[in-house]
Amino acid sequence: MGNGYIQILGIMDTLNEWNEKLNQFAGKHMDNVLVGTLILFAIIIVAFWAIGALNKK
């Protein structure tokens, strides 16, 4: 029980470090309407592709 809890805490620390790095990157590079629009279109394209790929019989 204790070993699993320690592993979960290690994973949480790693995720928090990644979150801080991502927030710093986003603060520097994504403070632009054009970048946000491109990201939105990329997400929509991936979503349509995934729906099409998963609906094939």
Side-chain angles (χ1 to χ4, degrees):
M1 173 79 180
N3 190 20
Y5 184 71
I6 292 172
Q7 289 177 343
I8 291 173
L9 288 178
I11 292 171
M12 292 300 295
D13 287 339
T14 303
L15 289 176
N16 285 332
E17 289 174 11
W18 289 354
N19 186 35
E20 290 174 6
K21 290 178 184 179
L22 182 61
N23 283 338
Q24 289 175 357
F25 177 81
K28 291 179 185 175
H29 301 289
M30 295 184 186
D31 195 19
N32 188 346
V33 174
L34 180 61
V35 174
T37 304
L38 292 175
I39 291 172
L40 177 65
F41 282 126
I43 291 171
I44 291 172
I45 290 169
V46 169
F48 278 115
W49 171 80
I51 290 169
L54 294 173
N55 283 332
K56 290 183 180 178
K57 290 184 179 182

